[in-house]
Each structure stands twice: as C-alpha cells, then as structure tokens.
Amino acid sequence: MASAIHAVPAVASSILVVDDDPISRLLQSRLLGLLGHRARVVDRPADALDLALSDGFDAMLLDLEMPEIDGFALLASLRDKEARLGRRPLPVIAVTGYAASIDRTRCLMAGFNDYMPKPLDVNALEASLARNLPPLNVAGPLDSDALRVEAAARRLAQPKPGDAGFAPTLLEAFAMRSGQLIEEISLAHAAPDAAALKHAVQSLRASADFMGATGLAALCDQLQSAVADQCAQRTAALVHSLTDEHQSVLVVLLRPASSQLAA
C-alpha cells in the first residue's frame, strides 16, 4: 500500500498547536513532523495569543473546547488584535471532536480558515495545510476586495473528499446570513437599539473577514466606533454605506461559478 505521507515540503512551515489535551497535542505534533513542518505546542490560550502575534508562525491548529477560554473566543481576540495592528490574518484551522456539518459551518462562519474533526487524518491535515499555508492559499495578487472574495469563493468551491456539495451550501449560507445581519443592523438602527446593532455589526464583521471582504469589515469597524461615539449622522451614513458594500460583495461572490474558476 502506498504511504499516506507525501513528499516533505521544500520549505518547512512553523505551526502553532493549541490544545489542552496532552495526547492530542502529541498526535498533532507528530503528524506535522511527518509532513515536514515544525510544531510548537501550547496548552494555555493566553500563551497562544501572544505567540500567534509574534510573527513566528505560518498557521495555527486550534482546539475548540478548552476550559480557560474556548477556541471561538481565542480566534475573536486574535482577529481583533490583528485588525488593530494592521496585520495579515494568521491562518487558523479549527480542531474539534464535533464532526457534524453544522459544526463545520459554525467554525467557518466564525472566521476559521478550515475545520478538522478529531482524530486527525494525516491526508486531510496535509490537504488543509496546502489550502491555507501561504502562498498556496493565494490565487494571484490579492490587491482588491473583488480578488480576495473571488479567491475565497474558489477555495470554498474546491471539492473536499466525502463532502461533495458542501462548499456551495456554505456560500449560500454566507449570503443568507449576511443578508439577515444587514436587515438586523437596519432595524436596530431605526429602533434605535444600540446593543442589538453592536451584536449584528460584530457578527457581520466576522463573516466579512472570513470572505476576505476587507472593505466591508472596515465599514463594520467604523460603524461600531460611530455608535460608541453616539454620532447619529455618521452612524446613519455608515449603515447606508454598509448596505451598498454588502451588495457589492454578493455580486462578486454569487456570480456564476464558471466565471470565478476561470479568473
């Protein structure tokens, strides 16, 4: 039988492994070593956040269920700090014992770059790293939001073993969920309901980050600042701009698949 391990990559990548279970950490570290990568394992989320911002890693494998802080909260903190520092987001792959399709969707919509159920499969791990490690996850120079969103759509449209048809469902889920959030933002602004507005804007920002829609994410940040400053006129203008920007993202994202794949 042919070996499941492919050739060791010419350039090893540094992968941060965050998991509170020692056996899981050991397994992930061994698999990464077999694939030719360097692993740094930590069991405390607080340590992981500092390390992830140190420029010493190419990707992170992040457990979702940890007692101190869960993976979703850690990812949210990381993305917030990256945005504040103007840094390129570190690819983060969710690692979890939950394997239902709704768990995968929840992870991807929260901003994870990929999702892997435990116990890890070495071929699936290798494929996930190939999709997400720079520059393999970049389809051409990403110098515009249109190209970023198209690249995200192409990545999601790539067939995954045993999961045919999942990617289009995810694209549709993003379109429907983001549309609902835009409606919630408009209603909360009209109410007005500052708490509901803040929650909807934060959720939309996470989705925009996942799709590479940096312009939409930036507008979300500006809107949150305007709401915090209680600037009614600026808030109203940004709500309108947010709706227009969202429509532009959907035009690019939901164009026929053939035109995306040909780009």
Side-chain angles (χ1 to χ4, degrees):
M1 179 182 293
S3 172
I5 306 301
H6 293 179
V8 172
V11 179
S13 294
S14 294
I15 312 297
L16 180 60
V17 175
V18 186
D19 199 311
D20 65 317
D21 181 70
I23 296 177
S24 182
R25 290 198 304 271
L26 177 61
L27 174 62
Q28 293 178 59
S29 177
R30 291 290 298 274
L31 291 180
L32 288 168
L34 288 172
L35 293 173
H37 301 296
R38 298 183 299 271
R40 169 75 181 272
V41 297
V42 295
D43 60 356
R44 297 188 65 251
D47 296 337
L49 185 58
D50 292 335
L51 287 169
L53 293 167
S54 68
D55 286 327
F57 298 94
D58 301 299
M60 179 195 296
L61 299 183
L62 177 57
D63 183 33
L64 296 185
E65 301 295 325
M66 293 180 287
E68 188 175 325
I69 178 175
D70 67 28
F72 290 99
L74 179 58
L75 178 68
S77 296
L78 175 62
R79 293 295 184 240
D80 179 67
K81 290 182 180 295
E82 288 171 336
R84 292 175 185 274
L85 296 171
R87 300 162 61 103
R88 186 181 183 91
L90 178 73
V92 181
I93 300 169
V95 178
T96 176
Y98 297 103
S101 60
I102 191 173
D103 296 310
R104 182 197 295 265
T105 301
R106 181 187 176 205
C107 289
L108 295 179
M109 294 301 290
F112 284 92
N113 296 77
D114 212 341
Y115 162 100
M116 299 200 64
K118 295 179 181 178
L120 295 188
D121 174 80
V122 66
N123 289 330
L125 175 61
E126 183 180 34
S128 180
L129 292 173
R131 288 192 299 269
N132 291 289
L133 283 172
L136 295 180
N137 62 323
V138 177
L142 302 185
D143 55 1
S144 73
D145 268 17
L147 289 176
R148 291 185 184 93
V149 172
E150 286 183 340
R154 286 196 299 272
R155 173 168 59 83
L156 292 175
Q158 293 175 355
K160 299 175 177 62
D163 199 23
F166 167 74
T169 300
L170 179 59
L171 295 179
E172 293 167 2
F174 168 80
M176 289 187 292
R177 178 56 179 155
S178 60
Q180 290 172 350
L181 290 172
I182 287 290
E183 183 176 359
E184 289 177 17
I185 288 168
S186 298
L187 291 174
H189 173 248
D193 186 337
L197 180 59
K198 178 180 179 181
H199 177 75
V201 172
Q202 288 176 337
S203 297
L204 181 61
R205 189 196 189 287
S207 295
D209 277 338
F210 168 62
M211 290 309 306
T214 58
L216 185 61
L219 282 174
C220 288
D221 288 338
Q222 295 173 36
L223 180 54
Q224 289 189 80
S225 297
V227 172
D229 294 339
Q230 298 184 340
C231 182
Q233 185 175 2
R234 183 162 173 257
T235 296
L238 285 167
V239 168
H240 181 75
S241 298
L242 201 65
T243 301
D244 291 342
E245 183 69 16
H246 173 252
Q247 288 300 315
S248 298
V249 171
L250 291 186
V251 167
V252 174
L253 179 63
L254 299 179
R255 68 174 60 185
S258 59
S259 64
Q260 291 179 0
L261 296 175

